[in-house]
């Protein structure tokens, strides 16, 4: 009888070979992958930063492109983790049946799913670190606390990786992912303080957007990149950790129900 799908995760170090397998496959296309993840946020950064920046000289006491740079780091991280667990993980799970082959070895499904999550966060760390390097080299951030942003990037990758795995567990095909982007990722990107201060939103909407995971990430990342200590950092980090833990547990339960029938 298969294990109850809603039991707590049972993880072991056996996830590491699965993570390594994903890394070795990705390494063959590492440069195009990094450049692809870097292109979108850099286009937004320079296109909107200089374009709107000519019309809006300052936002929150800094130039608009400086304001936008911090948001782009969080946005790039979210995108990299989300695309990995949606399209790549779905391919390995459903299309290529890679997971089926791995599960013939002494590796549990819990370890396979956890490896996918950690791998997505690892790719998100590379993507976020790349855009972080760009904005630092161009002088758009205060370098005092830049290195503190790297652990945040990894955590954000875990959070959005876990959320994306929930969608992957439910998806019948690639087309299903468009609902997730259209109904969740894109609206959240627009109202979470990436492109403009969330304080400008109507009060009712601001209360809702303040609960979104990307908002918590921006609330920590932007002050750090402006050389400031974030307010309520523990609260924001706790919220992100809670999102990640609950989403991973839910994703794993759905994966068990889907694959261990």
């Amino acid at each position: 009888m298969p294990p109850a799908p809603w039991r707590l995760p049972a993880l072991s170090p056996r996830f590491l070979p699965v993570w390594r397998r994903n890394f070795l496959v990705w390494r063959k296309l590492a440069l195009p992958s990094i450049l692809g993840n870097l292109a979108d946020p850099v286009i937004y950064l320079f296109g909107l930063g200089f374009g709107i920046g000519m019309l809006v000289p300052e936002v929150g006491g800094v130039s608009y492109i400086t304001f936008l740079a911090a948001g782009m780091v969080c946005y790039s991280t979210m995108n990299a983790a989300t695309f990995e667990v949606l399209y790549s993980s779905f391919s390995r799970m459903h299309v290529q049946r890679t997971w089926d082959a791995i599960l013939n070895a002494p590796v549990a499904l819990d370890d396979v799913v956890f490896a996918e999550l950690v791998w997505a966060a690892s790719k998100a760390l590379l993507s976020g670190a790349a855009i972080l390097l760009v904005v630092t080299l161009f002088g758009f951030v205060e370098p005092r606390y830049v290195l503190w942003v790297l652990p945040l990037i990894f955590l954000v990758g875990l959070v959005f990786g876990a959320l994306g795995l929930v969608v992957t567990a439910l998806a019948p095909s690639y087309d299903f992912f468009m609902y997730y982007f259209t109904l969740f990722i894109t609206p959240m990107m627009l109202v979470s303080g990436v492109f403009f201060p969330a304080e400008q939103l109507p009060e009712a909407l601001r209360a809702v957007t303040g609960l979104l995971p990307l908002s918590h990430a921006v609330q920590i990342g932007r002050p750090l990149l402006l050389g400031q200590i974030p307010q309520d950092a523990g609260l924001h980090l706790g919220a992100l950790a809670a999102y990640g833990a609950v989403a991973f547990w839910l994703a794993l339960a759905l994966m068990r129900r889907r694959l261990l029938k």
Side-chain angles (χ1 to χ4, degrees):
M1 180 180 295
W6 298 102
R7 64 182 174 85
L8 292 176
L11 305 177
S12 76
R14 292 180 179 179
F15 83 90
L16 290 171
V18 183
W19 180 95
R20 183 173 180 273
R21 179 261 170 205
N22 291 341
F23 168 74
L24 292 175
V25 172
W26 169 83
R27 190 175 63 177
K28 300 175 183 178
L29 298 171
L31 183 58
S33 175
I34 293 174
L35 292 178
N37 288 329
L38 190 60
D40 189 50
V42 167
I43 291 171
Y44 271 115
L45 176 65
F46 288 102
L48 295 179
F50 288 120
I52 296 179
M54 297 295 292
L55 305 174
V56 184
E58 286 192 354
V59 177
V62 298
S63 66
Y64 180 68
I65 195 167
T66 297
F67 176 88
L68 184 62
M72 284 296 101
V73 172
C74 297
Y75 164 78
S76 173
T77 303
M78 175 187 72
N79 257 11
T82 300
F83 272 95
E84 178 63 25
V85 296
L86 294 188
Y87 293 96
S88 298
S89 294
F90 184 78
S91 294
R92 289 188 284 268
M93 177 191 71
H94 182 72
V95 180
Q96 301 170 351
R97 301 289 184 181
T98 304
W99 289 16
D100 289 347
I102 294 173
L103 290 173
N104 285 319
V107 179
L109 178 62
D110 294 30
D111 294 320
V112 174
V113 178
F114 187 62
E116 292 287 338
L117 175 63
V118 177
W119 170 240
S122 301
K123 283 194 67 176
L125 178 61
L126 290 173
S127 178
I131 187 67
L132 183 62
L133 178 62
V134 170
V135 298
T136 303
L137 290 177
F138 276 90
F140 297 145
V141 298
E142 165 61 51
R144 187 184 316 171
Y145 299 129
V146 161
L147 293 181
W148 289 24
V149 180
L150 293 176
L152 173 66
I153 290 173
F154 189 74
L155 176 60
V156 172
L158 289 173
V159 171
F160 283 99
L163 290 169
L165 281 171
V166 174
V167 181
T168 299
L170 297 170
S173 68
Y174 292 112
D175 294 336
F176 186 79
F177 299 140
M178 291 307 300
Y179 296 107
Y180 183 59
F181 279 103
T182 303
L183 300 177
F184 183 64
I185 292 295
T186 300
M188 179 171 55
M189 175 189 71
L190 294 174
V191 300
S192 293
V194 173
F195 299 105
F196 59 87
E199 291 76 17
Q200 296 183 1
L201 295 169
E203 185 175 353
L205 181 57
R206 189 166 66 244
V208 175
T209 58
L211 301 175
L212 297 174
L214 185 59
S215 293
H216 290 292
V218 172
Q219 288 294 322
I220 302 173
R222 177 164 287 126
L224 288 176
L225 293 179
L226 295 179
Q228 304 165 6
I229 300 297
Q231 295 182 351
D232 301 320
L235 174 64
H236 296 304
L237 289 171
L240 287 171
Y243 267 114
V246 172
F248 176 68
W249 172 70
L250 177 59
L252 184 55
L254 293 171
M255 290 292 187
R256 289 168 179 160
R257 192 171 66 176
R258 176 170 181 162
L259 300 175
L260 301 180
K261 298 178 180 178

